[in-house]
């Protein structure tokens, strides 16, 4: 039998992942903005990180989750 996953645990993991992705996105954004040369690869990874963050943020809003992100 499979272990039943509790909604509270999934919600907590979702919020932690959203926080991690926000930090990752902002780090990549900072690196790209400080770069001397514009590269398509840097721009690509920034957009990927932002897309992942926005997708999970939308999911958290759909689940009506709230957390302090300070």
């Amino acid at each position: 039998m499979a272990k039943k996953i509790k909604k509270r645990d999934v919600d907590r993991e979702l919020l932690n992942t959203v926080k991690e992705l926000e930090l990752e996105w902002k780090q990549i954004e900072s690196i790209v903005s400080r770069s001397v040369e514009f590269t398509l690869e840097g721009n690509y990874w920034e957009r990927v990180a932002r897309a992942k963050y926005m997708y999970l943020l939308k999911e958290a809003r759909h689940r009506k989750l709230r957390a302090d992100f300070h």
Side-chain angles (χ1 to χ4, degrees):
M1 282 191 165
K3 180 181 173 186
K4 187 171 182 175
I5 300 173
K6 295 183 181 178
K7 181 184 182 303
R8 179 185 66 226
D9 295 337
V10 173
D11 290 348
R12 185 179 311 127
E13 187 175 337
L14 176 62
L15 287 175
N16 288 336
T17 305
V18 168
K19 289 177 189 178
E20 289 172 10
L21 287 174
E22 180 184 24
L23 289 174
E24 178 185 331
W25 169 43
K26 289 188 179 198
Q27 286 174 344
I28 293 171
E29 183 181 44
S30 174
I31 291 168
V32 170
S33 69
R34 287 185 280 141
S35 295
V36 176
E37 276 186 38
F38 175 83
T39 62
L40 291 177
E41 186 176 1
N43 190 27
Y44 169 79
W45 287 114
E46 180 183 359
R47 288 176 181 251
V48 168
R50 183 180 187 276
K52 288 192 286 187
Y53 169 72
M54 295 304 286
Y55 177 78
L56 289 183
L57 187 62
K58 185 177 179 181
E59 178 63 26
R61 286 181 181 160
H62 177 73
R63 290 173 174 252
K64 298 179 182 167
L65 300 177
R66 294 187 176 263
D68 292 329
F69 284 84
H70 301 293

